[in-house]
Amino acid sequence: MDISKFEHGQLEQVENLYTDTFTVSEGPDEGSAIGALVTDLVSTTNNADLVGFVASTGEEIVGCIFFSRLTLTTNKLAYLLSPVAINAAWQQKGVGQRLINYGLQYLQSQGVDFALTYGDPRFYAKVGFKKISEQEVKPPFKLSQPEGWLAQPINGGSVDDIKGALETVAAFNNADYW
Ligand SMILES: CC(C)(COP(=O)(O)OP(=O)(O)OC[C@H]1O[C@@H](n2cnc3c(N)ncnc32)[C@H](O)[C@@H]1OP(=O)(O)O)[C@@H](O)C(=O)NCCC(=O)NCCS
């Protein structure tokens, strides 16, 4: 299993990975929606505001994660981890945790202060995320599942440092994702 930075030439393969993975876990509508989100995210986000990582075995990409820049009201640097997909045949083998830990180490090396995500707290707790308050760290839309609003400091500091409103990159500026 190799982990490397996502490159634009991998977009078609990665879109298919997200579509297939979420079709298996959530159904075909969600699969298509997340595949389209990934293409939108990669196509509309400045290179400086987006970084992705892929897990591959030879020619096949079996997992992918993206981090996109958040704009905070404080001067802290934060990225949103989303979306995350591990091919169904490769789930429950540690690939998701390895990929996320690799990405967090990269962000730490770049001086990023915080990582946030919105997902299943039982999984993301395994890679250091803890619940945060929607009232204190304000997402762009009201959350349908506030228990999934999560963050971690990756260069010291406390979540108190990111209290206030935040903005995502354009691709996440859609109430359906929240
Ligand atoms: C969720 C997902 C990213 C996890 O990746 P993975 O490689 O399968 O997970 P890992 O093997 O690294 O970790 C497995 C551990 O996480 C737990 N876990 C995995 N998915 C979970 C979930 N959805 N809810 C709760 N726990 C979960 C497992 O129980 C296991 O715990 P254990 O080690 O105590 O037995 C992957 O299953 C996936 O892509 N699922 C479909 C798409 C999806 O849900 N994406 C995330 C959206 S928030």
Side-chain angles (χ1 to χ4, degrees):
M1 178 70 50
D2 294 324
I3 298 182
S4 56
K5 259 194 190 174
F6 166 81
E7 291 171 12
H8 275 245
Q10 296 169 318
L11 178 55
E12 190 178 342
Q13 216 186 331
V14 159
E15 179 182 350
N16 289 338
L17 167 73
Y18 280 93
T19 304
D20 295 347
T21 302
F22 280 87
T23 295
V24 171
S25 67
E26 315 281 336
D29 290 349
E30 186 73 0
S32 305
I34 303 294
L37 163 65
V38 166
T39 293
D40 191 26
L41 182 64
V42 171
S43 316
T44 65
T45 311
N46 289 332
N47 280 344
D49 293 342
L50 184 70
V51 61
F53 298 92
V54 294
S56 334
T57 59
E59 289 298 294
E60 191 192 4
I61 294 177
V62 300
C64 187
I65 61 174
F66 285 99
F67 292 95
S68 59
R69 177 87 178 258
L70 292 166
T71 305
L72 308 177
T73 49
T74 68
N75 62 357
K76 297 293 177 187
L77 193 51
Y79 276 70
L80 179 71
L81 168 61
S82 182
V84 172
I86 309 299
N87 177 315
W90 284 85
Q91 290 174 9
Q92 309 295 334
K93 298 180 194 298
V95 177
Q97 291 176 67
R98 273 186 59 196
L99 203 44
I100 293 168
N101 283 326
Y102 186 97
L104 292 171
Q105 275 177 20
Y106 174 84
L107 292 182
Q108 185 186 46
S109 76
Q110 301 299 302
V112 174
D113 300 302
F114 289 90
L116 284 78
T117 194
Y118 182 44
D120 193 320
R122 292 167 300 163
F123 173 65
Y124 288 106
K126 292 179 187 293
V127 283
F129 286 92
K130 294 197 169 82
K131 188 180 179 330
I132 53 173
S133 155
E134 181 179 7
Q135 284 71 40
E136 290 180 355
V137 183
K138 297 185 179 117
F141 297 93
K142 186 164 169 43
L143 301 177
S144 59
Q145 295 186 305
E147 69 282 1
W149 189 223
L150 311 167
Q152 63 175 302
I154 51 180
N155 264 308
S158 125
V159 171
D160 288 344
D161 299 339
I162 55 169
K163 281 183 180 172
L166 59 80
E167 284 176 27
T168 64
V169 299
F172 289 109
N173 200 12
N174 178 337
D176 291 349
Y177 300 138
W178 300 87

